[in-house]
Amino acid sequence: MPELPEVEVTRRGVAPHLEGRTVTAVTFRHAGLRWPFPLDLPTLLAGRTIRDIGRRGKYLLLRFDHGTVIIHLGMSGHLRILDTSVAPKKHDHFDLAVGSHLLRLSDPRRFGAVLWHAAEDGPVEQHVLLAGLGLEPLEEVFSAQILYQKTRNRAAPIKQVLLAGDIVVGVGNIYASESLFRAGINPKTAAHRISLARYELLADAIRIILAAAIDKGGSTLRDFIGVDGQSGYFQQSYFVYDRAGLPCRNCGTLITQIKQGQRSTFYCKKCQK
Ligand SMILES: [Zn+2]
């Protein structure tokens, strides 16, 4: 599943090809993905200029003067910039053309989304899908102090609190396991029992790990394809994720795998207390 780093890499990849450009055509080849497509989008966007490509959590935001196109990649979606002459393939459900090239969304499993939020309905950040999102981990507003304050009444394990996304976004299953390892925190620890000093370590770990993943061009998914059409990208070297039974890179103890809320968690019993 594309995580925040992949979405940010996608944003950086497509933005130079779209920002300041005028939409010449919008094409849907399906009734919808997770939700029905806004079928009036071709009319709404024709001749309009894309002001900016933003991101909130894992949602890409194509901002126009009169509203915002919200795109989510779901489980298997990817976006590419292609020449308009490139014929669509089976899972290419949405094109947004800007003259000689286009943005094309391919999504084999169809859990993605393309939605329209009109400016007259208020700031896009208040859209029902965005309003409940936590802080952006790579922005200055995110801090250990916030993590500490917002977990004082949260008895759930810290791993699950991170995955919930209502305090901080972008710390998905892989990055939660890796961040907790880096911070030396056992993923089963009740969030409200963790001290501010340890949240300092965790906040730093989250920032460093997400920034490193973005620098490397995303993370893991074999079927995520970068905007340049290159398939896959660098498999990252993880410390604990997907390393059950292998020796900890720090102490040699075998990595433990457990289930937390249906998701696999990986950690080192010796390094994480
Ligand atoms: Zn260890």
Side-chain angles (χ1 to χ4, degrees), residues 7-271:
V7 179
E8 177 59 18
V9 167
T10 298
R11 188 193 70 77
R12 293 179 187 186
V14 302
H17 302 278
L18 300 175
E19 286 176 350
R21 303 297 180 104
T22 299
V23 176
T24 48
V26 173
T27 307
F28 293 114
R29 295 188 193 84
H30 207 281
L33 300 173
R34 184 165 187 167
W35 296 289
F37 283 137
L39 295 177
D40 54 347
L41 211 55
T43 311
L44 281 167
L45 298 188
R48 298 288 190 148
T49 301
I50 303 169
R51 296 300 177 196
D52 168 74
I53 310 294
R55 178 187 58 75
R56 183 74 178 96
K58 296 202 286 183
Y59 296 90
L60 281 171
L61 307 174
L62 282 59
R63 299 181 200 272
F64 294 80
D65 290 336
H66 62 318
T68 303
V69 177
I70 302 171
I71 299 179
H72 194 276
L73 299 177
M75 306 287 285
S76 60
H78 59 256
L79 288 166
R80 283 170 297 164
I81 298 290
L82 296 167
D83 193 280
T84 38
S85 64
V86 177
K89 294 184 180 147
K90 185 179 175 191
H91 301 295
D92 294 342
H93 304 303
F94 167 69
D95 287 350
L96 185 144
V98 289
S100 63
H101 61 273
L102 52 76
L103 176 74
R104 176 165 288 166
L105 173 65
S106 177
D107 185 2
R109 297 183 62 184
R110 298 203 287 113
F111 282 103
V114 176
L115 301 166
W116 172 251
H117 180 82
E120 64 197 33
D121 293 334
V124 69
E125 289 75 14
Q126 290 172 12
H127 187 279
V128 64
L129 293 173
L130 307 184
L133 296 179
L135 298 172
E136 287 290 331
L138 298 175
E139 292 183 1
E140 280 188 20
V141 287
F142 173 62
S143 67
Q145 192 70 44
I146 297 270
L147 276 177
Y148 179 76
Q149 284 170 4
K150 298 211 167 190
T151 50
R152 289 312 84 198
N153 58 356
R154 300 279 282 263
I158 181 61
K159 162 96 181 317
Q160 284 165 270
V161 169
L162 291 174
L163 286 192
D166 60 323
I167 299 177
V168 56
V169 296
V171 190
N173 204 38
I174 295 170
Y175 301 110
S177 283
E178 291 293 302
S179 300
L180 289 165
F181 175 80
R182 189 180 176 106
I185 297 171
N186 186 309
K188 294 188 285 189
T189 310
H192 67 165
R193 294 196 177 276
I194 297 172
S195 67
L196 178 58
R198 302 192 84 200
Y199 274 124
E200 296 279 2
L201 296 173
L202 182 57
D204 282 346
I206 289 169
R207 277 190 284 259
I208 289 166
I209 283 167
L210 289 177
I214 291 167
D215 282 349
K216 283 197 175 185
S219 87
T220 48
L221 234 222
R222 285 186 200 93
D223 59 355
F224 176 82
I225 297 178
V227 288
D228 56 359
Q230 293 292 308
S231 180
Y233 39 103
F234 335 102
Q235 185 76 27
Q236 284 185 78
S237 162
Y238 297 121
F239 279 91
V240 289
Y241 182 78
D242 207 20
R243 296 194 69 243
L246 295 172
C248 171
R249 297 189 198 279
N250 186 38
C251 74
T253 300
L254 301 186
I255 299 299
T256 298
Q257 177 176 3
I258 57 170
K259 283 276 186 199
Q260 291 182 291
Q262 322 295 336
R263 308 297 302 276
S264 289
T265 297
F266 302 87
Y267 71 108
C268 173
K269 282 184 171 170
K270 188 168 176 197
C271 293

